[in-house]
Amino acid sequence: MRICKLGEDVLRQKCESVKPEEINDEMRALFNEMFETMISANGVGLAAPQVGIAKRFFVVIADDDVRRVFINPEITKTSTEVEEYDEGCLSIPGIYETIVRPKKVSITALNEFGKRFVIEDAEGLLARVIQHENDHLDGVLYIDRGDAAFKEDTIEKFKKREERKALKDAKREKKHASIAAKKAAKEAKKSGK
């Protein structure tokens, strides 16, 4: 699966709830694809909008190595105690910022079979990832929770990075077209003899 990057509209959308009838084998196959994509990108969480789907679900494998699917999650409680952590995001690769979040979080959600479950007072990496991924479902990125100058700088860096990539892609496309045209001219010359 392709992971959407900073600047793509879907990352800023408020996602729609998943209807009970949508939780089926096809969606479970999608969750497996998301887990594979997340693992191959060395991530610990991946939300639906990050793969271009504006729906309320995300997948997580935190430091306890348990695969968790959260559908229509609701954070029900957060601790007043907070902690700092250097967060990154698969949609903003290679850029980290110290973000302050509640140390503990309680959440209720549906699993991949549509069964409601509750996690009370999750802490550590699991609490951090739940909050980070849940933010994605509301169009919020971790850079929105950090320093304003860092956010502006990150957006500008990504804009420039995408412009350079588009320029490179255009040059590559032009080169391929030129090679294809030369080959076609050569073939036409051969068949003309």
Side-chain angles (χ1 to χ4, degrees):
M1 299 177 93
R2 189 182 77 79
I3 297 174
C4 298
K5 300 291 188 280
L6 179 63
E8 293 186 54
D9 292 342
V10 70
L11 293 175
R12 292 304 193 172
Q13 290 178 11
K14 187 159 175 60
C15 297
E16 292 178 21
S17 293
V18 175
K19 296 179 181 96
E21 63 271 16
E22 293 178 295
I23 303 170
N24 55 28
D25 288 344
E26 191 177 316
M27 186 170 255
R28 283 185 280 280
L30 174 65
F31 298 145
N32 284 332
E33 270 187 81
M34 287 176 69
F35 276 120
E36 287 173 25
T37 301
M38 179 188 82
I39 292 164
S40 68
N42 295 317
V44 290
L46 188 64
Q50 292 182 275
V51 291
I53 303 166
K55 289 283 191 174
R56 298 191 76 78
F57 62 85
F58 58 83
V59 299
V60 169
I61 302 177
D63 43 4
D64 58 2
D65 286 334
V66 176
R67 285 179 175 233
R68 291 183 175 94
V69 174
F70 295 79
I71 303 170
N72 297 338
E74 289 177 42
I75 291 179
T76 55
K77 185 176 74 178
T78 55
S79 64
T80 53
E81 190 181 356
V82 296
E83 64 183 358
E84 294 182 344
Y85 188 86
D86 279 350
E87 280 190 39
C89 182
L90 296 178
S91 292
I92 312 174
I95 297 176
Y96 299 87
E97 170 74 343
T98 301
I99 303 296
V100 177
R101 291 191 189 265
K103 187 173 183 174
K104 293 182 182 181
V105 64
S106 296
I107 188 167
T108 179
L110 301 177
N111 69 12
E112 63 271 35
F113 300 105
K115 299 274 187 249
R116 184 158 295 283
F117 70 96
V118 175
I119 298 177
E120 291 286 343
D121 295 324
E123 55 187 316
L125 185 61
L126 180 59
R128 176 71 49 169
V129 177
I130 285 171
Q131 292 174 79
H132 177 108
E133 299 309 328
N134 197 67
D135 273 354
H136 274 298
L137 307 184
D138 293 319
V140 176
L141 301 174
Y142 80 98
I143 59 173
D144 302 329
R145 297 198 177 276
D147 178 69
F150 169 78
K151 177 181 175 179
E152 284 178 33
D153 185 48
T154 301
I155 290 169
E156 194 55 38
K157 272 184 196 168
F158 254 77
K159 202 183 212 177
K160 286 179 181 168
R161 192 185 287 183
E162 288 306 305
E163 286 168 1
R164 284 193 305 272
K165 185 183 178 302
L167 201 60
K168 250 185 193 174
D169 290 348
K171 280 182 183 176
R172 191 180 306 116
E173 196 59 44
K174 189 175 178 182
K175 187 176 179 180
H176 288 304
S178 172
I179 291 168
K182 285 177 184 173
K183 281 182 181 177
K186 214 176 200 179
E187 288 301 314
K189 199 173 184 183
K190 271 185 191 177
S191 61
K193 285 183 178 177

